[in-house]
């Protein structure tokens, strides 16, 4: 049974209920037919990923740019004030229902760490709602890079004074986390199957349905 020095987590989507799609439906639902709205949401998600692949920029700019590009692609009038509503909503998001109990159990035995594509001004509001103590919270703003860029993970390793062999990394996303974790040599990975990405066994992980399954992964 692997006993990691740290259990590291993606936050948004894995622990915190990520609600960009819900916000898009709230803002644009009256203007787009259902099939077009779903295409807008898909495009918006793709543009968010594209926006973070280069040099770091503040997350509000990432979201405004992604909304503007999705609007242009789908023939929707763009208003920056509407785009900023996505950023402003983030601190209000709470955890998935399964998170507090599962995290609390593993927190008794292991230091918990967040590595998040977040701004410092927002992330603690979300972490405080998770229901368990975190030893460290690292952000893209601190790392000057967003996941899936390696720089974000390497910043975390440097701050923790450890290497890929010392952590168990937990995420619901291959594209943002588990592919990079694999390439960086993190052998111990957990995929939380939240249903927003298909399985990809090539990347080598233990699959759990939700965080209630995490204690069993580490023998608790």
């Amino acid at each position: 049974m692997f006993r990691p020095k740290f259990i590291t987590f993606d936050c948004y989507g894995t622990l915190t209920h990520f609600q960009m799609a819900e916000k898009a439906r709230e803002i644009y639902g009256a203007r787009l037919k259902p099939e077009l709205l779903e295409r807008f949401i898909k495009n918006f998600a793709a543009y968010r990923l594209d926006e973070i692949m280069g040099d770091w920029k503040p997350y509000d700019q990432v979201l405004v740019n992604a909304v503007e590009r999705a609007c242009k692609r789908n023939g929707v009038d763009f208003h920056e004030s509407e785009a900023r509503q996505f950023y402003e909503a983030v601190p209000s998001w709470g955890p998935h229902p399964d998170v507090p109990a599962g995290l609390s159990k593993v927190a008794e035995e292991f230091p918990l760490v967040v590595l998040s594509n977040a701004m410092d001004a927002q992330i603690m509001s979300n972490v405080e709602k998770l229901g368990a103590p975190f030893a460290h919270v690292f952000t893209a703003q601190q790392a000057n890079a967003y996941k899936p860029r390696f720089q974000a993970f390497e910043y975390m390793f440097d701050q923790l004074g450890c290497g890929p062999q010392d952590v168990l990394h937990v995420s619901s996303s291959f594209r943002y986390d588990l592919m990079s974790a694999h390439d960086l040599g993190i052998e111990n990975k957990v995929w939380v199957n939240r249903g927003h990405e298909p399985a990809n066994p090539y990347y080598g992980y233990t699959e759990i349905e939700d965080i209630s399954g995490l204690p069993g992964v580490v023998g608790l």
Side-chain angles (χ1 to χ4, degrees), residues 3-167:
R3 301 281 296 181
K5 291 183 179 179
F6 302 94
I7 302 180
T8 60
F9 295 86
D10 167 61
C11 186
Y12 298 121
T14 302
L15 303 178
T16 295
H17 181 201
F18 192 73
Q19 299 175 60
M20 290 293 178
E22 289 88 338
K23 195 67 179 177
R25 294 186 182 100
E26 175 188 322
I27 296 172
Y28 299 106
R31 283 180 255 174
L32 292 169
K33 294 179 180 179
E35 65 273 17
L36 297 180
L37 178 61
E38 294 310 307
R39 186 176 72 182
F40 179 97
I41 290 169
K42 183 177 180 180
N43 295 157
F44 177 37
Y47 285 131
R48 289 197 307 272
L49 178 61
D50 188 63
E51 284 287 329
I52 64 173
M53 295 303 289
D55 292 338
W56 182 86
K57 51 181 173 272
Y59 195 58
D60 57 342
Q61 186 178 339
V62 168
L63 291 178
V64 168
N65 291 354
V67 171
E68 184 173 18
R69 295 170 73 184
C71 285
K72 180 179 179 181
R73 183 165 176 178
N74 290 278
V76 179
D77 289 340
F78 169 75
H79 302 284
E80 185 171 341
S81 61
E82 292 179 332
R84 291 197 64 83
Q85 291 181 39
F86 290 91
Y87 180 79
E88 292 162 358
V90 172
S92 69
W93 295 346
H96 292 284
D98 53 273
V99 167
L103 281 185
S104 295
K105 191 166 184 179
V106 294
E108 295 174 1
E109 297 287 336
F110 301 95
L112 308 186
V113 178
V114 158
L115 177 62
S116 179
N117 283 353
M119 295 289 286
D120 294 346
Q122 292 187 309
I123 186 64
M124 292 314 299
S125 177
N126 304 108
V127 171
E128 289 165 1
K129 296 179 177 70
L130 297 177
F134 276 79
H136 304 277
V137 177
F138 302 122
T139 67
Q141 184 176 4
Q142 296 165 19
N144 206 35
Y146 290 98
K147 300 177 297 179
R149 293 193 61 193
F150 292 176
Q151 182 176 329
F153 290 89
E154 290 167 338
Y155 173 83
M156 178 180 71
F157 295 144
D158 289 344
Q159 295 302 306
L160 294 176
C162 74
Q165 71 279 1
D166 298 315
V167 306

Side-chain angles (χ1 to χ4, degrees), residues 188-201:
N188 297 284
K189 300 179 288 296
V190 170
W191 177 47
V192 186
N193 186 357
R194 297 286 187 194
H196 52 252
E197 291 186 21
N200 196 331

